[in-house]
Amino acid sequence: MRRGLLLVLAWTLATGAAATLSWWGVHTVMAGTAYDPPRALPVTAADATTQESKPLASSTNRPAPSPSARPSREPSPTHTRTPSKTPTTNPNPSPTASGQVRSYDTDGGRAVFDLGRTSATLVSATPGTGWSMQVWKTESWIRVEFSSGADRVSVFCTWHDGPPRVEIGTY
């Protein structure tokens, strides 16, 4: 009986030590990563009354595009080496206090930008299945690169010489 109790106690201590060591290792690795937490976009009273509290778009249910809601500028692929599907933007960009939120879907994933008059911010970037992602930011541009093996898709938003514009390149 005493021997069995000692074995259970030893097993409990070893399991607790292993769990603590695993948690510490994961915590240490994750604490050293660069991560921008998601931010909520402000909702103004004008947005609520014009949209009647309906969602603007979701990943599962998108509104039908209307002729007046088309984006004024479609992104153009650059540095195309391999054929890929044509990048699309959210057909119904949602207005915010600083600009319009636009979504850019590519083979590698989706990048969402808040495009203002003189600058832009990255709202979110989500890689597709089997793709990884890297983000670079400066005072005058943001680049989101999706990669899978040798394939690369870059979503590049610049505003250094005018209003923000987005270019998508596949290489």
Side-chain angles (χ1 to χ4, degrees), residues 55-66:
L56 296 171
S58 74
S59 62
T60 57
N61 183 18
R62 297 194 182 231
S66 65

Side-chain angles (χ1 to χ4, degrees), residues 33-149:
T33 61
Y35 171 72
D36 289 335
R39 65 181 182 94
L41 297 175
V43 177
T44 62
D47 292 341
T49 57
T50 59
Q51 295 297 325
E52 298 176 8
S53 299
K54 292 180 184 174
L56 296 171
S58 74
S59 62
T60 57
N61 183 18
R62 297 194 182 231
S66 65
S68 64
R70 292 189 162 232
S72 60
R73 185 175 192 166
E74 287 288 325
S76 60
T78 59
H79 307 293
T80 303
R81 186 177 69 180
T82 58
S84 71
K85 71 179 183 182
T86 304
T88 60
T89 60
N90 182 350
N92 197 6
S94 55
T96 64
S98 59
Q100 290 187 341
V101 175
R102 294 216 176 139
S103 173
Y104 298 88
D105 294 321
T106 68
D107 287 338
R110 173 183 287 176
V112 181
F113 293 96
D114 183 0
L115 304 175
R117 289 186 179 179
T118 59
S119 66
T121 57
L122 180 65
V123 175
S124 69
T126 308
T129 304
W131 290 76
S132 61
M133 176 192 71
Q134 192 167 3
V135 177
W136 294 271
K137 296 180 184 180
T138 70
E139 292 180 7
S140 61
W141 56 265
I142 301 171
R143 178 181 174 194
V144 179
E145 183 180 88
F146 301 104
S147 59
S148 177

Side-chain angles (χ1 to χ4, degrees), residues 7 11-12 25-26 32 41 58 111-112 131 155 166:
L7 286 175
W11 177 84
T12 303
V26 170
L41 297 175
S58 74
V112 181
W131 290 76
V155 183
V166 177

